[in-house]
Amino acid sequence: MLSSKASCNSHGQDSSYFLGWQLYENNPFHEVENPTGIIQMGLAENQLSFDLVESWLRKNPDVMELKKGGESVFRELAFFQDYHGLPTFKNELVEYMAKIRGNKVKFDPNNLVLAAGATSANETLIFCLADPGEAILLPTPYYPGFDRDLKWRTGVEIVPVHCWSSNGFRITMFALEEAYERAQKLNLKVKGVLITNPSNPLGTTMTKEELDHLITFAVAKNIHVISDEVFSGTVFDSPGFISILEAAMDRNLENTDVWSRIHIVYSLSKDLGLPGFRVGMIYSNNKTVVGASTKMSSFGLVSSQTQYLLTNVLASKRFTSKYMKENQKRLKKRKEMLVSGLKKSGIECLKSNAGLFCWVDMRHLLSSNTLEAETKLWNQMVCDVGLNISPGSSFHCSEPGWFRVCFANMSRGTLQVAMRRIKDFVERSNFMGRIKMNYQQNMSSLSRKLLSNWVRKLSSPDPNEHER
Amino acid sequence: MGLLSRKVTCNSHGQDSSYFLGWQEYEKNPYDEVKNPKGIIQMGLAENQLCFDLLESWLAKNPDAVSFKREEQSIFKELALFQDYHGLPAFKKALVDFMAEIRGNKVSFDTDHLVLTAGATSANETLMFCLAEKGDAILLPTPYYPGFDRDLKWRTGAEIVPIQCSSSNGFQITESALEAAYQEAQRKNLRVKGVLVTNPSNPLGTTMSRNELDLLVNFVTDKEIHLISDEIYSGTVFSSPAFVSIMEVLKDRKLENTQVWERVHVVYSLSKDLGLPGFRVGAIYSNDPIVVAAATKMSSFGLVSSQTQYLLSAMLSDKKFTKEYISKNHKRLQKRQNKLVSGLEKAGISCLESNAGLFCWVDMRHLLSSNTFEAEMELWKRIVYDVKLNISPGSSCHCTEPGWFRVCFANMSEDTLKLAMQRLKSFVSSITIDNQTHQDLKNMRKKNRTKWVFRLSFQSFHDREQGER
């Protein structure tokens, strides 16, 4: 009696990505109250720069109290539900987005559509661009949430574009073509390619070359490009960030067809660290897409109270400049701490310059080059070492042994504990004289039970939903 | 073009309907007491602007709630990070208590069955995604809120089949109307998944009778389908009969442990009674754990801002405030509705007797040049462009009888309402005079064969039926 959407499981929440969170919820680390608990390293949140935002808020109490120049604006906000969004907010957002891109791209607020988070923005865009049974190409590894956001209610399929460690998981023309052909063989009409730039989970910005490949490919196949630039404000190192629009402008494509087939998704959840406020957006040069997605945004508007608050935060140019600079500094420092900590344990990461996580190479710790071995290692990491990290398979990575490890959602002290635990774990394995361990033997009975439960798939209460 | 989805190129977002066109006209020439006294008065917007002072005064006394503080401690970080789709527990608790209070505490709600969404718009669509898909139909009694065409059908692919209600019995739902709609759906090869009612009704402004509710329960039990009760206006019931929630009926009939219990779902929002549409606070309440689970995951696509959840959890937890608010809100709504009703009466226009909502269902059938929807459109255009009142024509609400209009009363000042009534009165008088003049001229024309051009450039008079009331 329910729809197939309600009873199927293409919400994707049975994946290990979410199971790890569930285990964490059952036994969360706390410096004082639960020092042996599981440390959450599977949550791509930016908790490093709240003090900056809080200090701004303390200096600007009027904004929180819904006042402007001493006068209450509560009334006008309370009934502001115009899906075009608060004009001043959109003006500030486009300026902020341009600033993030070194002002190499300019955005028109009339082409910006607000949505309740990038989750909503991505789904809405797919509703606009594809019909049930059609497909979107996505380079692997990709954010697990896309399986829900892009496919669940839209009925659209994802066809992966396989990327490999051999070239740092860069997108190649060959991989794009191969994915396209695979889609055709499956009788799926490809409507577009969706990339995340900077990449989740890789933590890298796309090269000019990759962006050019994508544009060339989109032109040749007459399809869309969606560039999820949610992490664009987290680029803390060179090379700098190049937006898809910048790449298109460099090729003088503004007055060509493909210009209206390039769409950007953004959100304030990652750089500003405000996932709870649900601020996402779609940017498109295609008037029809803007028109339709604006109407669709009715299903996920941003609270006017929040729009008002953030308009004022972003309007303070001194604040945004200071924030961007300081945030980048802190992210870089924290990433370096993770990278060097892992190095001490003989573990390498993919060289990265952005994001809130590293893409960690644990292939050498696998008992065999298989998905099963990755799962066993992951289980051990969560249950024995007590670190909830995310296995590459949950990101549809084609090679076993890679893990995404977050660094910006905890204190320095906690990260130090995490690094120590990994070091101990690796040393224990080395001490036993084996590089490849017999995990079955070393797993605790709890781990064993959990592994078999996981294999049988979750049927019980859902894990809490968290962002990427 | 084929490059975009069919959803984009079709027009089942329903926004080409007159309901929305009227707003567009208003936007071009909005009334302002000082700056634009001749502009169009917005009477097509079901908003509650009567009790902001109460909310503002509460805010002034409780700055912590907006300043991300709890007992003087900053909780900004906690809120900024809070994106759990299960919602802020304190907020859900306050919300279920408020919902119970509105229902005279005759029913209670469990926070585990409540799913938060960004407005009732999101709640209704999400519920549809959970219950129906392409090839399925939901039955809706007419007249109904025009937005449903978008909310329930657009992206879900489900269809709406109307349950025709008529003025002969005050537009109440009857058993035969339900059956007829069901048969109609079958004829169209659509699988009926449920009935959706708005109670209190938009646009009627009436609460459903116990009899109607019983009929609905019997019908959905018999057909084994769902019942969605959009109770978004439940906090706006200002006079008797009292509001009876569908949950109360199920409880009274001791249906808690039967199958139908899990097929009844309620939608609510703070947009109407609290007058906070901008804050995007909606909710689904369901006794079906699978629906709750699926809707919870789907709410990811439209979560409520944690900043807003926190503010409202503090506000709704203040029981002294909610009690005072509910009471004052009812009083003010009743007073304002009375003003509209009596103002219309003075213009010789009657309304459907109503006890809830932010609007009246107004009978202008006697002002139609003919009993047709074309005549209704003509009348509507005159009222928007000439009388300069944006009211909503019944056809936009899928009413089966021409001549009914929804007129809002709670989204303007008392003075503006007064002015609106004056304009309407003048208009009706002028029609009467013009009609008399037209009759005289008709007689003259028979003698003189003179052409008479009506003052409006785009209007033409049809011969009037001798049915003016």
Side-chain angles (χ1 to χ4, degrees):
Chain A
M1 266 320 283
L2 301 181
S3 69
S4 55
K5 285 172 189 62
S7 26
C8 75
N9 68 352
S10 46
H11 48 70
Q13 270 179 232
D14 296 333
S15 103
S16 53
Y17 183 70
F18 297 101
L19 171 64
W21 284 349
Q22 199 183 28
L23 293 171
Y24 162 77
E25 294 288 330
N26 293 339
N27 180 20
F29 170 84
H30 188 276
E31 224 164 335
V32 178
E33 289 161 31
N34 187 19
T36 56
I38 299 176
I39 297 176
Q40 174 63 285
M41 303 192 90
L43 200 50
E45 273 175 6
N46 181 4
Q47 295 189 24
L48 304 188
S49 304
F50 278 124
D51 57 316
L52 303 175
V53 182
E54 272 186 282
S55 136
W56 186 93
L57 287 173
R58 267 195 307 273
K59 297 189 198 126
N60 298 271
D62 254 25
V63 174
M64 291 185 292
E65 287 166 23
L66 304 177
K67 292 205 189 96
K68 188 195 259 169
E71 296 290 313
S72 170
V73 289
F74 171 75
R75 199 171 287 231
E76 79 190 54
L77 288 175
F79 54 79
F80 185 84
Q81 54 174 330
D82 182 354
Y83 56 27
H84 293 105
L86 215 54
T88 42
F89 184 41
K90 287 176 43 170
N91 288 339
E92 294 305 335
L93 278 171
V94 298
E95 273 194 48
Y96 183 65
M97 286 170 73
K99 199 165 175 167
I100 284 174
R101 290 155 184 71
N103 287 310
K104 282 179 241 155
V105 192
K106 276 215 115 45
F107 296 91
D108 179 351
N110 293 317
N111 289 357
L112 193 74
V113 181
L114 300 180
T119 299
S120 180
N122 278 315
E123 194 203 35
T124 293
L125 211 36
I126 299 298
F127 267 124
C128 289
L129 304 181
D131 283 313
E134 295 181 334
I136 299 288
L137 308 183
L138 255 73
T140 66
Y142 65 78
Y143 161 57
F146 281 147
D147 289 318
R148 171 200 61 196
D149 300 351
L150 311 182
K151 297 191 332 181
W152 190 17
R153 307 191 307 179
T154 61
V156 171
E157 291 297 333
I158 290 175
V159 172
V161 177
H162 294 299
C163 299
W164 305 93
S165 59
S166 53
N167 75 336
F169 297 94
R170 296 282 172 202
I171 300 170
T172 63
M173 217 37 184
F174 176 80
L176 286 166
E177 289 287 352
E178 192 271 326
Y180 191 86
E181 273 161 44
R182 217 176 332 115
Q184 306 239 283
K185 281 205 192 79
L186 292 166
N187 266 323
L188 297 168
K189 182 171 178 203
V190 174
K191 293 308 277 290
V193 183
L194 188 148
I195 55 167
T196 307
N197 178 26
S199 163
N200 175 11
L202 303 177
T204 52
T205 47
M206 280 198 169
T207 61
K208 193 81 189 316
E209 202 188 358
E210 284 176 287
L211 292 166
D212 280 338
H213 284 325
L214 282 159
I215 293 173
T216 303
F217 183 71
V219 171
K221 305 292 190 220
N222 198 26
I223 60 176
H224 297 270
V225 180
I226 301 172
S227 181
D228 185 344
E229 302 187 351
V230 153
F231 291 98
S232 50
T234 68
V235 179
F236 49 75
D237 215 342
S238 61
F241 173 62
I242 305 173
S243 167
I244 187 86
L245 282 182
E246 190 189 330
M249 277 167 67
D250 284 351
R251 286 168 65 164
N252 295 316
L253 295 169
E254 288 99 312
N255 296 315
T256 65
D257 278 351
V258 77
W259 185 248
S260 63
R261 294 201 308 276
I262 296 175
H263 322 279
I264 288 180
V265 167
Y266 181 56
S267 141
L268 299 184
S269 301
K270 302 300 172 186
D271 31 18
L272 282 188
L274 306 172
F277 290 1
R278 313 316 300 146
V279 181
M281 57 218 82
I282 295 167
Y283 189 87
S284 176
N285 293 306
N286 185 321
K287 291 282 177 246
T288 312
V289 170
V290 171
S293 56
T294 299
K295 293 184 181 75
M296 284 190 190
S297 70
S298 302
F299 301 111
L301 295 176
V302 181
S303 166
S304 57
Q305 178 195 13
T306 301
Q307 291 192 52
Y308 182 69
L309 173 71
L310 296 172
T311 303
N312 286 279
V313 173
L314 296 180
S316 168
K317 303 303 175 199
R318 234 181 50 186
F319 170 77
T320 53
S321 295
K322 178 181 171 199
Y323 184 91
M324 281 169 67
K325 201 159 159 226
E326 186 60 29
N327 185 42
Q328 281 165 17
K329 240 172 59 194
R330 296 178 185 187
L331 286 172
K332 182 171 182 188
K333 205 163 164 213
R334 192 56 69 83
K335 182 216 90 157
E336 279 165 359
M337 197 178 148
L338 173 65
V339 170
S340 59
L342 289 172
K343 218 181 176 130
K344 287 193 183 93
S345 307
I347 299 173
E348 296 286 332
C349 300
L350 182 74
K351 187 151 180 255
S352 67
N353 63 328
L356 310 172
F357 32 73
C358 284
W359 190 234
V360 181
D361 186 355
M362 296 200 191
R363 288 177 291 175
H364 61 294
L365 297 175
L366 296 183
S367 55
S368 61
N369 184 25
T370 61
L371 174 60
E372 289 72 31
E374 178 185 282
T375 306
K376 282 181 203 168
L377 176 57
W378 172 69
N379 231 280
Q380 204 163 13
M381 292 303 295
V382 178
C383 304
D384 295 348
V385 187
L387 303 178
N388 179 34
I389 61 178
S390 312
S393 50
S394 66
F395 291 86
H396 302 276
C397 186
S398 321
E399 299 172 46
W402 291 86
F403 289 78
R404 188 191 77 171
V405 180
C406 299
F407 57 75
N409 64 309
M410 66 195 73
S411 69
R412 279 193 84 231
T414 306
L415 185 55
Q416 274 164 349
V417 173
M419 295 299 92
R420 258 202 310 273
R421 287 185 186 181
I422 289 192
K423 194 156 187 285
D424 291 344
F425 167 73
V426 170
E427 275 169 6
R428 271 201 313 272
S429 346
N430 289 344
F431 177 73
M432 290 167 75
R434 281 178 273 169
I435 305 289
K436 289 181 184 181
M437 297 167 64
N438 182 347
Y439 291 117
Q440 197 66 34
Q441 206 178 317
N442 285 322
M443 263 202 281
S444 64
S445 59
L446 174 63
S447 313
R448 234 176 262 122
K449 186 175 175 209
L450 282 164
L451 174 63
S452 61
N453 276 350
W454 181 71
V455 165
R456 269 202 300 273
K457 284 248 161 168
L458 290 169
S459 58
S460 56
D462 311 309
N464 276 335
E465 177 56 26
H466 291 277
E467 255 307 332
R468 324 177 200 185
Chain B
M1 193 161 66
L3 268 179
L4 301 180
S5 69
R6 283 190 291 271
K7 286 174 186 59
V8 166
T9 42
C10 72
N11 68 351
S12 43
H13 48 70
Q15 270 179 234
D16 296 332
S17 105
S18 51
Y19 182 72
F20 297 101
L21 291 174
W23 283 358
Q24 271 173 33
E25 285 310 309
Y26 162 78
E27 296 288 331
K28 290 185 205 156
N29 181 21
Y31 168 81
D32 183 282
E33 215 166 337
V34 179
K35 297 181 208 156
N36 189 19
K38 294 212 172 70
I40 298 177
I41 296 175
Q42 174 65 288
M43 303 191 88
L45 198 51
E47 272 178 6
N48 182 0
Q49 295 188 21
L50 305 187
C51 293
F52 277 125
D53 57 317
L54 302 175
L55 299 168
E56 273 167 341
S57 124
W58 187 91
L59 281 176
K61 294 188 206 128
N62 297 272
D64 265 19
V66 281
S67 310
F68 302 102
K69 287 207 189 94
R70 187 193 286 138
E71 280 148 30
E72 314 272 307
Q73 296 295 315
S74 171
I75 51 165
F76 174 75
K77 182 174 164 175
E78 173 188 326
L79 288 174
L81 293 172
F82 187 83
Q83 53 173 332
D84 182 354
Y85 58 23
H86 292 106
L88 210 59
F91 179 47
K92 283 173 62 169
K93 178 77 182 65
L95 195 51
V96 297
D97 285 349
F98 186 65
M99 286 169 72
E101 193 174 353
I102 283 173
R103 288 154 182 74
N105 287 308
K106 281 178 248 157
V107 279
S108 65
F109 297 91
D110 184 345
T111 53
D112 288 341
H113 294 195
L114 193 76
V115 181
L116 299 178
T117 60
T121 299
S122 180
N124 278 315
E125 195 203 34
T126 293
L127 211 37
M128 252 336 94
F129 268 123
C130 289
L131 305 179
E133 49 212 340
K134 196 154 184 247
D136 293 339
I138 297 288
L139 309 183
L140 258 71
T142 64
Y144 65 77
Y145 161 57
F148 280 147
D149 290 319
R150 171 198 62 196
D151 301 352
L152 310 181
K153 297 191 327 178
W154 191 19
R155 307 193 304 179
T156 62
E159 288 294 336
I160 292 175
V161 172
I163 301 164
Q164 320 280 22
C165 298
S166 95
S167 60
S168 57
N169 74 340
F171 296 94
Q172 295 211 15
I173 300 171
T174 64
E175 204 175 334
S176 60
L178 284 165
E179 282 295 341
Y182 192 87
Q183 303 299 334
E184 177 62 18
Q186 308 236 284
R187 257 196 304 276
K188 289 183 167 160
N189 269 325
L190 295 167
R191 189 174 157 209
V192 176
K193 295 308 275 294
V195 180
L196 187 148
V197 299
T198 308
N199 178 27
S201 163
N202 175 14
L204 303 176
T206 52
T207 47
M208 277 197 167
S209 63
R210 184 63 79 134
N211 187 42
E212 281 176 287
L213 292 166
D214 278 332
L215 268 177
L216 282 164
V217 172
N218 295 343
F219 183 73
V220 301
T221 304
D222 179 50
K223 304 288 191 221
E224 287 183 75
I225 59 179
H226 295 271
L227 177 57
I228 301 173
S229 181
D230 185 345
E231 300 185 354
I232 196 183
Y233 289 98
S234 48
T236 68
V237 180
F238 50 77
S239 69
S240 62
F243 175 62
V244 179
S245 166
I246 190 72
M247 289 297 178
E248 194 185 327
V249 170
L250 292 173
K251 202 170 151 208
D252 288 349
R253 288 172 60 166
K254 298 188 171 25
L255 295 169
E256 288 100 319
N257 296 314
T258 65
Q259 286 194 340
V260 76
W261 180 249
E262 287 191 354
R263 292 201 310 272
V264 174
H265 322 278
V266 173
V267 166
Y268 183 57
S269 145
L270 298 181
S271 301
K272 303 298 175 186
D273 28 24
L274 279 191
L276 303 172
F279 288 4
R280 313 316 301 146
V281 182
I284 295 168
Y285 189 88
S286 174
N287 294 310
D288 183 337
I290 302 180
V291 170
V292 171
T296 300
K297 292 184 184 75
M298 285 191 189
S299 69
S300 302
F301 301 112
L303 295 175
V304 181
S305 166
S306 58
Q307 177 193 17
T308 301
Q309 289 191 53
Y310 183 64
L311 167 62
L312 296 172
S313 78
M315 191 185 277
L316 296 183
S317 301
D318 185 344
K319 301 298 179 204
K320 195 160 156 248
F321 169 76
T322 56
K323 190 165 176 209
E324 185 200 352
Y325 184 93
I326 289 173
S327 163
K328 285 205 167 123
N329 188 37
H330 289 174
K331 282 199 184 77
R332 295 179 187 186
L333 286 171
Q334 177 165 40
K335 202 165 164 218
R336 194 57 71 82
Q337 184 251 29
N338 285 345
K339 285 227 150 41
L340 173 65
V341 171
S342 56
L344 289 169
E345 240 164 53
K346 290 195 183 88
I349 299 172
S350 62
C351 303
L352 182 74
E353 205 187 316
S354 69
N355 64 327
L358 310 173
F359 34 74
C360 283
W361 189 235
V362 180
D363 187 355
M364 296 199 192
R365 287 176 291 176
H366 59 297
L367 300 175
L368 295 184
S369 57
S370 61
N371 184 27
T372 62
F373 284 110
E374 289 72 30
E376 180 184 280
M377 269 300 111
E378 275 176 42
L379 178 58
W380 174 68
K381 280 186 191 150
R382 290 187 69 186
I383 295 179
V384 174
Y385 294 105
D386 297 344
V387 190
K388 302 232 179 4
L389 304 178
N390 179 36
I391 62 178
S392 312
S395 50
S396 68
C397 301
H398 301 276
C399 187
T400 47
E401 296 169 50
W404 291 87
F405 289 78
R406 189 191 78 170
V407 181
C408 299
F409 56 74
N411 64 310
M412 66 195 75
S413 71
E414 218 180 298
D415 287 337
T416 307
L417 182 58
K418 227 168 161 184
L419 175 62
M421 295 299 93
Q422 271 157 18
R423 287 185 185 178
L424 203 50
K425 190 160 187 286
S426 309
F427 168 68
V428 172
S429 310
S430 75
I431 287 187
T432 316
I433 292 172
D434 286 344
N435 189 54
Q436 187 54 49
T437 312
H438 178 67
Q439 201 55 39
D440 291 346
L441 283 173
K442 246 179 92 178
N443 296 337
M444 269 174 71
R445 211 183 283 139
K446 278 180 190 154
K447 293 177 190 170
N448 302 340
R449 291 183 169 268
T450 323
K451 248 199 181 149
W452 178 69
V453 177
F454 190 65
R455 58 189 168 103
L456 288 176
S457 55
F458 58 83
Q459 271 310 333
S460 66
F461 255 120
H462 306 280
D463 284 336
R464 200 171 266 270
E465 296 282 299
Q466 289 303 121
E468 270 164 324
R469 285 172 248 167

